[in-house]
Amino acid sequence: MANNGDFSFVRTGSIGRHGLPKIQTHHESKEVCHDDSATPVKAKTIDELHSLQKKKSSQPTTPITGTRAPGSPFSAISEEDRQKQQLQSISASLASLTRETGPKVVRGDPRTDGHKAVHVEHHLYDSSLFGLSDSALKFTHILYNLSPAELYEQAIKYEKGSFITASGALATLSGAKTGRSPRDKRVVKDEETENELWWGKGSPNIEMDEHTFLVNRERAVDYLNSLDKVFVNDQFMNWDPEHRIKVRIVSARAYHSLFMHNMCIRPTPEELEDFGTPDFTIYNAGQFPCNRYTHYMTSSTSIDLNLSRREMVILGTQYAGEMKKGLFSVMHYLMPKRQILSLHSGCNMGKDGDVALFFGLSGTGKTTLSTDHNRYLIGDDEHCWSDNGVSNIEGGCYAKCIDLSKDKEPDIWNAIKFGTVLENVVFDEHNREVDYSEKSVTENTRAAYPIEYIPNAKIPCVGPHPKNIILLACDAFGVLPPVSKLSLAQTMYHFISGYTALVAGTEDGIKEPQATFSACFGAAFIMMHPTKYAAMLAEKMQKHGATGWLVNTGWSAGRYGTGNRIKLAYTRKIIDAIHSGTLLNATYTKTEVFGLEIPTEIEGVPSEILDPINTWSDKKAYTDTLLKLGGLFKKNFEVFMNHKIGKDNKLTEEILAAGPIF
């Protein structure tokens, strides 16, 4: 057997098509990252996939323009010259590294009758020096920063599986992949990243080399250049104007362009005129597969990050979330280099300016608790904490839709209207009403909409320094208190651990809690070692006087199956007491093993549930379960124990001491 990165060619036995050896993928048995990757769709053909999208009906079947600012640097040149500069920049993005050229690019859509196209021909390179190719003779039409209405038209005309639903949202299909593919994500390991990034056991960063990245980049760019038209979005990440990042997304699908229009920050017409060269570029050729026999490839899907070149390549998956989370990974690299902390969290602000950050894995209530009609929403998922305060990284929200109802989540329900992208949902074929309980395509149904669709969103999405850091855990073991006040070292310990306990069902119907740990509550996206982010969090909390809290939204009076889920009304009272500051003045006692400080009384919450041992009738079972959970925490933390923080090991020792003690 000849080894080649993460896969191998089997020389004997298993033979594929045309006599070629089959690729065997080697998977690590231990999984640290917690992500939203989904199982492949049941459909075996495209037509079968489309048939799942629409339910049989019981009924019979019968851009924003603006004026140029007086001081704009482009105000002195003609519109044609300005567009020529813009197209030259895009053409440079689409240039092949090998041939040093690409197709000539023009403005407009060749297949839209009556569409006003501005043809600006230009040559960035002298073709006589490099030789002509078919791509050099070809025109590719650039559809640049189209409005949602224009993107609707493009999707419905040219992309099968695109429909307008009854609420006005655009329903689309992401193809065979309905979730992220973390095992197919690669990061170039070079002189710049070798010592900066987190590599090895527990890390989400799977390495590739520069040459392999360029091979995949060439494949993606060649595919995009072969198309009659491509969609280009020039947008921003980070609402803090001092630290925002300019991104360019080149894609083949209107659905992807509309998705990123919603998820990134939308520039004004004046900002677009002065956009210039992007800081980071995504080449989304997801409809085209990577070459599985390329070094480091383990499937026909590959999502590749080159942090030195500031580029990302997507092949073999049309799931739009890869772009969103790929840029989040980039921010996890770029921001800490500026001494800015990037965070996978929700964030809201009270009317008096008090800001709270909410961390939590899937099912912990992060979205529910950070969405509060009495407070302003700064963002639901990705944030930065700089010397200026907090700022949302994104311009939109990417909400789960499974079992969505108007009563439980009215804000999300009402945000699903014209301009919103609905991924992989099922709807009635006649009236186009969406059935959010349907899982025919996938359970990971999603809605992507601009953040201003949420009524109490704070625009711009920035706020002062946080006062409260709330770590959420759905503890199905039932031994963590409903709320604990954390010391700085405990906050770092639980932040690095990123714990929740899910309930995993088995075939015979027996259900047991399963502990899940995801470093920094987002291990799939962090780039540097978790202790780097934890140390930055501690420094900022100390500097700005923030308090850490651990809130259990899981079980009480026993583990899952014997106990009861803590009532949401009680959790909301706890969160309200944190926001108001009254919980800081409460009387506290200390728990065994985890050493957590728990309040003896909270208004509106039964005092007996605040200490979990009071709610268990079998005290020995409580102690055994508590020790079991403590052991799981210790085992998970082993991978972080040998990483030194700072010039000495003092901080590392403090964090370790803040964990469970037997």
Side-chain angles (χ1 to χ4, degrees):
M1 184 184 291
N3 288 330
N4 187 15
D6 288 329
F7 67 91
S8 59
F9 296 111
V10 181
R11 299 298 184 190
T12 58
S14 183
I15 301 298
R17 291 178 297 172
H18 310 300
L20 292 171
K22 282 188 177 178
I23 295 176
Q24 302 228 336
T25 304
H26 305 302
H27 296 302
E28 294 290 334
S29 59
K30 293 183 179 178
E31 196 68 49
V32 173
C33 296
H34 179 80
D35 55 67
D36 61 355
S37 55
T39 54
V41 293
K42 301 173 189 174
K44 301 299 181 186
T45 65
I46 292 293
D47 288 339
E48 200 176 326
L49 178 62
H50 290 153
S51 71
L52 295 174
Q53 189 182 22
K54 288 187 287 186
K55 292 198 306 181
K56 288 295 179 185
S57 176
S58 57
Q59 301 180 43
T61 52
T62 55
I64 303 172
T65 58
T67 56
R68 203 173 277 114
S72 167
F74 286 90
S75 57
I77 66 172
S78 68
E79 179 69 10
E80 185 172 303
D81 286 342
R82 186 185 70 77
Q83 290 197 350
K84 181 176 179 179
Q85 290 180 2
Q86 193 178 72
L87 292 177
Q88 283 177 331
S89 173
I90 294 169
S91 184
S93 294
L94 282 167
S96 158
L97 289 176
T98 332
R99 292 184 297 277
E100 301 270 342
T101 187
K104 293 182 278 291
V105 297
V106 295
R107 201 72 174 272
D109 182 4
R111 291 183 287 185
T112 302
D113 294 333
H115 185 92
K116 184 180 178 182
V118 180
H119 291 258
V120 185
E121 299 185 26
H122 62 275
H123 301 272
L124 292 182
Y125 306 96
D126 183 354
S127 58
S128 63
L129 297 177
F130 303 104
L132 287 173
S133 69
D134 284 345
S135 67
L137 299 172
K138 177 179 185 307
F139 280 101
T140 293
H141 291 73
I142 298 297
L143 302 184
Y144 182 74
N145 274 49
L146 296 190
S147 68
E150 291 173 304
L151 290 169
Y152 265 57
E153 292 167 3
Q154 290 289 324
I156 290 164
K157 281 185 180 180
Y158 305 120
E159 294 180 12
K160 193 173 181 182
S162 295
F163 300 90
I164 300 177
T165 62
S167 69
L170 181 72
T172 66
L173 290 170
S174 65
K177 298 291 180 73
T178 59
R180 291 183 304 102
S181 304
R183 290 187 179 276
D184 296 310
K185 182 183 170 186
R186 301 285 181 270
V187 183
V188 173
K189 191 174 187 178
D190 54 23
E191 291 181 0
E192 181 178 335
T193 59
E194 183 174 8
N195 297 318
E196 289 183 321
L197 298 196
W198 179 26
W199 304 101
K201 185 179 179 182
S203 166
N205 302 317
I206 307 172
E207 69 177 88
M208 73 186 308
D209 58 30
E210 173 88 5
H211 174 77
T212 306
F213 173 84
L214 294 179
V215 169
N216 282 356
R217 182 193 187 278
E218 181 95 341
R219 191 172 176 93
V221 168
D222 280 352
Y223 170 75
L224 293 166
N225 283 342
S226 73
L227 303 174
D228 288 336
K229 60 184 177 185
V230 295
F231 298 89
V232 175
N233 293 46
D234 280 348
Q235 295 182 262
F236 299 123
M237 302 290 287
N238 197 352
W239 280 84
D240 182 350
E242 188 180 337
H243 300 294
R244 72 184 180 188
I245 301 295
K246 297 184 293 183
V247 294
R248 171 169 292 162
I249 303 101
V250 185
S251 55
R253 291 193 62 179
Y255 143 51
H256 288 152
S257 187
L258 180 57
F259 177 90
M260 294 308 282
H261 169 88
N262 290 347
M263 294 311 303
C264 295
I265 298 163
R266 294 156 288 283
T268 64
E270 291 76 25
E271 286 171 332
L272 271 183
E273 289 179 354
D274 193 23
F275 193 83
T277 305
D279 300 310
F280 197 88
T281 303
I282 294 178
Y283 300 99
N284 189 344
Q287 290 164 293
F288 200 65
C290 69
N291 185 331
R292 295 179 300 121
Y293 292 95
T294 305
H295 192 40
Y296 295 104
M297 299 301 102
T298 53
S299 75
S300 58
T301 298
S302 192
I303 303 101
D304 307 327
L305 279 175
N306 190 324
L307 296 169
S308 300
R309 287 185 56 86
R310 305 292 195 258
E311 290 181 333
M312 178 181 179
V313 168
I314 298 174
L315 290 162
T317 173
Q318 296 177 66
Y319 181 64
E322 295 289 7
M323 295 182 288
K324 166 189 161 68
K325 291 304 187 184
L327 287 175
F328 191 30
S329 295
V330 170
M331 295 296 278
H332 268 309
Y333 174 72
L334 295 178
M335 292 296 102
K337 290 168 75 73
R338 301 185 184 186
Q339 301 308 307
I340 297 169
L341 178 58
S342 49
L343 300 164
H344 188 207
S345 70
C347 181
N348 66 23
M349 185 180 81
K351 292 177 173 59
D352 295 328
D354 59 295
V355 169
L357 292 173
F358 293 81
F359 297 86
L361 303 181
S362 180
T364 59
K366 182 180 71 169
T367 302
T368 303
L369 294 171
S370 61
T371 304
D372 187 332
H373 288 184
N374 297 314
R375 295 172 66 84
Y376 299 109
L377 179 69
I378 292 177
D380 75 327
D381 198 42
E382 303 175 8
H383 292 89
C384 284
W385 189 353
S386 70
D387 289 339
N388 300 331
V390 291
S391 55
N392 191 350
I393 288 174
E394 301 180 298
C397 302
Y398 193 32
K400 290 181 180 178
C401 289
I402 195 68
D403 295 326
L404 178 69
S405 71
K406 187 174 185 178
D407 293 335
K408 289 183 179 178
E409 295 180 281
D411 286 345
I412 296 175
W413 179 277
N414 292 327
I416 299 176
K417 56 187 180 181
F418 182 83
T420 297
V421 177
L422 280 174
E423 276 184 329
N424 300 314
V425 297
V426 176
F427 51 82
D428 185 284
E429 67 174 4
H430 174 66
N431 60 30
R432 296 295 197 262
E433 293 283 354
V434 177
D435 184 349
Y436 291 108
S437 65
E438 264 286 355
K439 307 172 186 177
S440 299
V441 179
T442 179
E443 190 168 324
N444 190 36
T445 51
R446 296 271 182 165
Y449 48 85
I451 194 166
E452 56 264 30
Y453 282 16
I454 299 296
N456 62 328
K458 184 184 180 300
I459 308 295
C461 302
V462 296
H465 297 287
K467 290 297 180 188
N468 293 294
I469 309 300
I470 301 170
L471 312 182
L472 301 169
C474 177
D475 178 30
F477 290 98
V479 294
L480 289 183
V483 62
S484 314
K485 185 174 70 171
L486 302 176
S487 67
L488 200 59
Q490 284 177 323
T491 304
M492 294 177 74
Y493 181 89
H494 287 278
F495 177 70
I496 293 171
S497 296
Y499 163 75
T500 195
L502 307 176
V503 180
T506 58
E507 290 182 5
D508 59 0
I510 299 172
K511 297 181 177 181
E512 297 288 339
Q514 182 178 357
T516 300
F517 296 93
S518 183
C520 306
F521 293 92
F525 321 118
I526 61 177
M527 305 298 290
M528 300 173 185
H529 197 276
T531 52
K532 167 76 173 178
Y533 303 100
M536 290 183 71
L537 177 62
E539 181 188 355
K540 290 184 180 298
M541 286 179 66
Q542 204 166 27
K543 183 177 180 181
H544 301 290
T547 305
W549 305 90
L550 179 63
V551 174
N552 174 21
T553 60
W555 270 255
S556 179
R559 58 193 272 166
Y560 176 86
T562 59
N564 306 303
R565 185 97 190 242
I566 297 170
K567 291 181 179 179
L568 178 59
Y570 295 159
T571 303
R572 288 199 184 278
K573 288 288 185 183
I574 289 168
I575 298 297
D576 289 344
I578 291 173
H579 289 324
S580 68
T582 57
L583 208 50
L584 280 174
N585 302 317
T587 304
Y588 285 87
T589 61
K590 209 166 192 177
T591 67
E592 295 179 352
V593 181
F594 282 90
L596 298 170
E597 288 193 44
I598 56 175
T600 57
E601 190 176 355
I602 300 174
E603 187 180 350
V605 181
S607 296
E608 61 270 16
I609 76 167
L610 295 176
D611 189 342
I613 193 171
N614 296 334
T615 64
W616 283 62
S617 57
D618 188 338
K619 306 302 183 189
K620 184 180 183 303
Y622 166 80
T623 303
D624 291 344
T625 307
L626 180 64
L627 290 171
K628 179 181 178 180
L629 182 60
L632 293 172
F633 265 84
K634 276 189 172 293
K635 185 179 179 182
N636 171 72
F637 218 84
E638 286 173 0
V639 72
F640 310 119
M641 288 177 65
N642 297 323
H643 194 85
K644 187 173 75 171
I645 307 173
K647 295 180 181 178
D648 53 38
N649 277 326
K650 186 180 178 183
L651 190 53
T652 309
E653 291 166 2
E654 286 181 13
I655 295 171
L656 290 173
I661 299 171
F662 297 93

